[in-house]
């Protein structure tokens, strides 16, 4: 892992920085590249702005590791309200939620009850529920929650991280139950005992896992296969892989983050690949933003530039 990446991931967990950095106008200006605004309306406007290009939305209200059960309850209520409010958009943007924002650190049963309520509401309104994957201490619990919710509601998917050695097994288990899978490379700082330390190995594992997601078993189980990546050459490889097997362009979806690889998003949508863009909103954006910087330390130059332009 590069030194800059380690520093940025350490900063993402630093409370002192989290409380102070967002107060600075230049930091807020820099984050606006990845986030259209803090309110649900900002997210909706951004999603509607993408629709003419044939690109649809996923939304997340930023926050994680809540320490107060009342806050987890409030987050769940806000998501329920958000699912209602996006129903007018066709197709509606899909919620993507973090279990620790719904209280997983405090009470796993309560977290499950929240996820179940969100899945039920999404299902009733023809929407879908995505469950994010956080750091390794949460992987087993998150998969378990996914299994329980998915047993009742079919429109549920989970994120899996290609940097973890265990993910091939987890993917097989999710295919077994027909859950949707959004495959990402992984955004957290993990020890080399659990995750590939070299990017080339992560990329290789991603390709292998993506091929499994496009395989006969996953397709016959009705798995919704999503590549959550901005890696355009990897996406191109997977398109060719699909073409060689005579799969339709819709065999997998691509989900990217708002503000990243915009041209590729439009190009893929024009080529008939289903594309969704994840739009984040909310006030608690600091750790999330630090992870975005860590993914591409060159982004730090954007901040330095905006500092100079002050
Ligand atoms: P990679 O890092 O190899 O980047 C490929 C190219 O994309 C780069 O060369 C660069 O051009 C561009 N790029 C990537 N990141 C950029 C950035 N921040 N700024 C500017 N350019 C950038 N992770 C996780 O652990 N749990 C989760 O639940 C999710 N959820 C999720 C949903 C969606 C829709 C996406 C797209 C991503 C996630 N992630 C995630 C994050 C994921 O794990 C990963 O950290 C990022 O997607 C960056 O990796 P890439 O796959 O883009 O590849």
């Amino acid at each position: 892992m590069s030194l800059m990446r380690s520093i940025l991931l350490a900063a993402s967990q630093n409370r002192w920085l989290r409380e102070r950095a967002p107060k600075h106008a230049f930091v807020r200006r820099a984050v606006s590249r990845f986030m259209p605004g803090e309110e649900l309306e900002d997210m909706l406007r951004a999603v509607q702005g993408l629709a003419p290009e044939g690109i649809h939305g996923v939304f997340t209200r930023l926050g994680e590791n809540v320490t107060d059960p009342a806050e987890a309850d409030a987050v769940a209520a806000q998501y329920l309200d958000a699912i209602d409010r996006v129903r007018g958009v066709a197709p509606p943007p899909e919620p993507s939620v973090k279990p620790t924002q719904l209280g997983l650190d405090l009470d796993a049963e309560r977290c499950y009850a929240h996820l179940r309520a969100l899945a039920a509401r999404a299902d009733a309104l023809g929407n879908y529920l995505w469950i994010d994957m956080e750091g390794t201490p949460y992987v087993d619990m998150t998969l378990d929650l996914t299994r329980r919710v998915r047993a009742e509601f079919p429109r549920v998917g989970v994120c899996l991280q290609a940097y973890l050695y265990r993910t091939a097994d987890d993917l097989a288990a999710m295919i077994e139950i027909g859950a949707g899978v959004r495959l990402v490379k992984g955004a957290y700082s993990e020890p080399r005992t659990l995750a590939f330390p070299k990017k080339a190995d992560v990329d290789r594992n991603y390709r292998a896992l993506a091929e499994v997601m496009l395989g006969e078993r996953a397709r016959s189980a009705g798995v919704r296969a999503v590549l959550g990546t901005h890696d355009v050459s990897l996406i191109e490889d997977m398109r060719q892989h699909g073409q060689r097997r005579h799969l339709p362009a819709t065999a997998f979806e691509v989900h990217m983050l708002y503000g990243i690889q915009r041209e590729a998003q439009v190009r893929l949508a024009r080529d008939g690949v289903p594309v969704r863009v994840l739009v984040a909103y909310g006030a608690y954006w600091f750790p999330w933003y630090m992870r975005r910087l860590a993914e591409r330390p060159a982004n730090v130059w954007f901040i330095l530039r905006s500092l100079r332009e002050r």
Side-chain angles (χ1 to χ4, degrees):
M1 195 192 300
S2 80
L3 180 62
M4 180 67 102
R5 181 160 188 258
S6 312
I7 292 170
L8 291 165
L9 288 178
S12 77
Q13 310 221 304
N14 185 292
R15 178 196 275 255
W16 188 89
L17 274 176
R18 189 180 71 222
E19 284 165 3
R20 281 163 188 79
K23 299 200 174 100
H24 293 282
F26 77 90
V27 180
R28 299 176 82 90
R29 211 164 41 234
V31 82
S32 68
R33 178 167 172 248
F34 297 116
M35 200 180 119
E38 292 190 1
E39 305 301 327
L40 182 120
E41 288 71 24
D42 299 318
M43 176 278 287
L44 261 181
R45 234 188 332 273
V47 167
Q48 282 165 332
L50 297 166
E53 319 270 19
I55 296 172
H56 306 297
V58 175
F59 67 94
T60 198
R61 186 186 169 87
L62 295 172
E64 52 203 60
N65 296 110
V66 305
T67 50
D68 175 359
E71 197 186 333
D73 296 350
V75 169
Q78 284 157 357
Y79 268 121
L80 284 173
D81 178 54
I83 294 169
D84 283 344
R85 285 170 68 188
V86 302
R87 67 198 294 182
V89 182
E94 298 172 341
S96 194
V97 302
K98 286 199 178 357
T100 68
Q101 193 187 13
L102 294 168
L104 184 58
D105 288 327
L106 305 167
D107 179 350
E109 276 313 299
R110 198 153 170 165
C111 176
Y112 162 69
H114 289 322
L115 284 172
R116 187 190 176 281
L118 296 181
R121 184 73 60 92
D123 199 61
L125 296 177
N127 204 325
Y128 198 92
L129 179 70
W130 287 105
I131 301 176
D132 291 358
M133 189 58 79
E134 303 175 73
T136 38
Y138 302 108
V139 175
D140 280 323
M141 286 189 284
T142 302
L143 295 178
D144 196 45
L145 290 165
T146 304
R147 265 187 211 97
R148 291 174 69 190
V149 176
R150 155 80 204 172
E152 255 187 288
F153 304 101
R155 302 169 68 87
V156 172
V158 67
C159 177
L160 295 180
Q161 300 154 322
Y163 63 8
L164 298 183
Y165 304 130
R166 59 175 287 170
T167 296
D169 292 340
D170 295 339
L171 176 59
M174 290 301 105
I175 290 173
E176 200 62 38
I177 60 165
V181 175
R182 175 219 287 153
L183 183 64
V184 303
K185 291 189 186 174
Y188 296 82
S189 175
E190 299 293 354
R192 54 180 57 232
T193 47
L194 299 176
F196 294 102
K198 291 202 185 107
K199 186 171 172 359
D201 292 326
V202 178
D203 290 357
R204 198 171 304 116
N205 198 39
Y206 192 108
R207 279 188 170 73
L209 296 168
E211 287 183 13
V212 173
M213 285 164 67
L214 290 180
E216 189 44 45
R217 207 177 171 84
R219 288 176 58 74
S220 59
V223 169
R224 189 171 162 193
V226 172
L227 306 186
T229 181
H230 313 97
D231 190 333
V232 284
S233 73
L234 194 158
I235 294 169
E236 191 44 45
D237 288 353
M238 293 319 301
R239 286 181 70 190
Q240 288 177 14
H241 175 87
Q243 281 160 5
R244 281 195 297 275
R245 279 156 186 77
H246 308 290
L247 301 178
T250 52
F252 63 81
E253 300 173 37
V254 171
H255 292 187
M256 293 192 185
L257 302 180
Y258 175 84
I260 303 180
Q261 298 284 25
R262 176 95 182 91
E263 281 171 23
Q265 294 167 12
V266 173
R267 205 174 47 242
L268 285 163
R270 272 196 204 133
D271 288 350
V273 177
V275 178
R276 285 185 181 259
V277 165
L278 190 151
V279 184
Y281 64 100
Y284 188 89
W285 42 259
F286 183 74
W288 178 86
Y289 177 53
M290 285 295 114
R291 290 199 294 273
R292 301 294 78 79
L293 294 185
E295 280 155 9
R296 191 161 178 254
N299 286 335
V300 172
W301 291 112
F302 284 95
I303 307 191
L304 296 178
R305 215 162 49 211
S306 69
L307 249 182
R308 219 183 48 207
E309 286 162 4
R310 263 204 303 172

